[in-house]
Amino acid sequence: RLQKIDNNIDGLMKALKSETLDQSKRDIMEGDLVKLLEKRKSIIFLRSLLHSHLESKGGEAWSRDIGIHLNKNLSSTGDQSALSELKEVSDSLLKFLASEHDIFTLLEENEERGRLVQLRNFEESNHYKNRQNYLRSLIHQYLMSKGGEAWS
């Protein structure tokens, strides 16, 4: 996806160097270039946000949970939610994830939770380590809420 945008940016940059280009076409092309650069920035930002969220969840999460996470975070420009930015770039979370198939894998579907999303090539040892740390954290929080003691 970024490769296609980069190719379009390169094409516009080359065309804008032409001395025979009239001003009205130049203005249109410069506007298109700005839009492509903004879209590129958004995609990179969203990829990073999704990647770090999935890493924190042990390499996988349900699409509804991801949507909630995106809605709680600000966009790359800070003027809207990251979920709104994603919808401007790609209509829906699932379309965005499907177009980024080199990073994310869409797995089974659950009526209540949406699609299971997994980081492609996520190291299983890291996955289990993160999951163990997450479980330890939950147990620790539970024990702390019970005054440090609980029955098994």
Side-chain angles (χ1 to χ4, degrees):
R1 179 182 213 167
L2 278 181
Q3 185 63 44
K4 183 178 178 182
I5 291 173
D6 288 343
N7 290 341
N8 290 337
I9 290 171
D10 289 344
L12 282 170
M13 296 291 285
K14 288 177 186 172
L16 284 167
K17 290 180 183 177
S18 171
E19 294 177 16
T20 60
L21 198 61
D22 68 53
Q23 190 59 44
S24 64
K25 286 184 181 178
R26 184 176 299 280
D27 291 344
I28 291 169
M29 291 172 81
E30 286 174 351
D32 290 344
L33 181 61
V34 168
K35 288 176 188 172
L36 282 172
L37 290 169
E38 288 171 353
K39 186 173 185 175
R40 185 179 196 287
K41 176 184 169 189
S42 290
I43 291 170
I44 291 169
F45 170 79
L46 291 165
R47 276 180 168 185
S48 176
L49 184 61
L50 289 167
H51 193 278
S52 64
H53 178 66
L54 287 170
E55 268 189 336
S56 75
K57 298 295 183 185
E60 62 186 34
W62 293 96
S63 60
R64 294 229 172 98
D65 296 332
I66 294 169
I68 291 167
H69 176 75
L70 291 173
N71 200 40
K72 290 179 181 177
N73 283 274
L74 290 175
S75 65
S76 61
T77 56
D79 61 347
Q80 62 182 338
S81 73
L83 182 60
S84 295
E85 181 174 21
L86 182 137
K87 288 180 178 182
E88 287 177 5
V89 168
S90 194
D91 293 332
S92 75
L93 174 60
L94 292 179
K95 283 184 182 179
F96 181 84
L97 294 168
S99 70
E100 301 293 331
H101 55 85
D102 57 324
I103 301 172
F104 309 106
T105 303
L106 295 172
L107 301 173
E108 73 255 22
E109 190 166 354
N110 177 292
E111 192 172 309
E112 293 176 15
R113 301 172 90 187
R115 293 286 297 271
L116 184 60
V117 180
Q118 189 175 61
L119 279 176
R120 188 174 291 281
N121 300 323
F122 189 74
E123 292 181 25
E124 287 197 30
S125 62
N126 193 23
H127 170 74
Y128 291 117
K129 191 183 304 177
N130 285 342
R131 190 163 262 174
Q132 284 176 341
N133 289 338
Y134 177 68
L135 290 173
R136 281 188 187 119
S137 166
L138 288 177
I139 292 167
H140 178 76
Q141 288 173 9
Y142 177 76
L143 287 171
M144 295 306 291
S145 73
K146 300 294 181 187
E149 295 179 348
W151 293 93
S152 62

